[in-house]
């Protein structure tokens, strides 16, 4: 799946605001477009009303980016713009992602997140369970080591 330029704009509009700069989690435009050329990579968008087709970059509230191998899908990036948070949009987009994965015949979704990220609360609400930990995997700009938590959802 490659993305039209307009969708790259929509993804990057959220990417540049959504991730805290301390951990280097945001991807640049080239990383996103290259990942979408690989195949078995897909993305989804959401606007502030919960619709999947934002009219332009400025009305894009969130996105996900994922990659599948056989019947397993990895959620690589998932974000809602700061101005649009705590309104149920992350919940809506995650539910859509999971439903689509199920329809595509996936049997397992996998993701990795920084320990302590509040996103973990949302993931747990959708049934994700911790399956591993990589101690000190991430390093913040201040040099602090933060563990990576692996989570899975069996479909
Ligand atoms: C994580 C994220 C996607 C949540 O998006 P959101 O639209 O605010 O989420 P929702 O409004 O749908 O929240 C649904 C539930 O998740 C939980 N939740 C979400 N954000 C939370 C937070 N900051 N603190 C505590 N609980 C939170 C709550 O239970 C919430 O329900 P409630 O609002 O009724 O209490 C968003 O904060 C984000 O983009 N963070 C930065 C990027 C990131 O870290 N992505 C995940 C990478 S692994």
């Amino acid at each position: 799946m490659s993305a039209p330029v307009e969708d790259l704009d929509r993804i990057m509009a959220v990417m540049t605001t959504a991730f805290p700069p301390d951990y280097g989690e945001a991807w640049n435009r080239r990383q996103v477009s290259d990942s979408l050329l690989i195949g078995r990579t897909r993305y989804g968008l959401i606007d502030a009303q919960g619709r999947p087709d934002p009219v332009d970059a400025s009305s894009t509230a969130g996105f996900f980016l994922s990659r599948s191998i056989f019947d397993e899908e990895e959620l690589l990036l998932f974000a809602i713009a700061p101005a649009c948070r705590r309104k149920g949009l992350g919940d809506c987009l995650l539910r859509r992602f999971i439903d689509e994965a199920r329809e595509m015949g996936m049997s397992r979704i996998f993701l990795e997140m920084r320990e302590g990220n509040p996103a973990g609360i949302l993931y747990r609400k959708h049934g994700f369970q911790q399956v591993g930990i990589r101690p000190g995997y991430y390093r913040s700009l201040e040099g602090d080591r933060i563990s990576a938590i692996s989570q899975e959802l069996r479909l």
Side-chain angles (χ1 to χ4, degrees), residues 77-148:
L77 290 167
F78 180 72
I80 299 294
C84 300
R85 288 185 191 159
R86 300 310 289 268
K87 296 173 179 160
L89 293 173
D91 184 66
C92 176
L93 185 60
L94 186 61
R95 180 173 301 112
R96 171 147 53 92
F97 166 70
I98 293 168
D99 287 347
E100 289 172 357
R102 192 177 284 113
E103 283 163 20
M104 289 164 55
M106 298 296 147
S107 64
R108 174 181 184 253
I109 295 173
F110 175 81
L111 65 84
E112 207 161 63
M113 54 163 251
R114 162 173 41 87
E115 186 169 42
N117 188 339
I121 299 167
L122 177 58
Y123 296 141
R124 269 197 300 282
K125 279 188 167 179
H126 284 265
F128 281 84
Q129 295 191 332
Q130 181 173 332
V131 289
I133 182 164
R134 294 199 227 197
Y137 182 72
Y138 300 108
R139 187 200 289 262
S140 74
L141 287 181
E142 285 80 35
D144 299 329
R145 290 285 189 180
I146 301 152
S147 298

Side-chain angles (χ1 to χ4, degrees), residues 28-104:
N28 63 34
R29 190 181 178 95
R30 180 71 186 268
Q31 287 172 302
V32 175
S33 63
D34 283 357
S35 75
L36 289 166
L37 291 175
I38 292 169
R40 310 280 293 172
T41 305
R42 67 183 181 104
Y43 63 93
L45 303 168
I46 193 166
D47 73 9
Q49 283 71 45
R51 295 178 297 228
D53 48 3
V55 290
D56 56 21
S58 65
S59 60
T60 306
F63 75 94
F64 72 78
L65 181 74
S66 68
R67 176 176 53 210
S68 56
I69 299 171
F70 301 113
D71 62 343
E72 299 197 345
E73 187 157 16
E74 181 175 9
L75 185 57
L76 298 168
L77 290 167
F78 180 72
I80 299 294
C84 300
R85 288 185 191 159
R86 300 310 289 268
K87 296 173 179 160
L89 293 173
D91 184 66
C92 176
L93 185 60
L94 186 61
R95 180 173 301 112
R96 171 147 53 92
F97 166 70
I98 293 168
D99 287 347
E100 289 172 357
R102 192 177 284 113
E103 283 163 20
M104 289 164 55

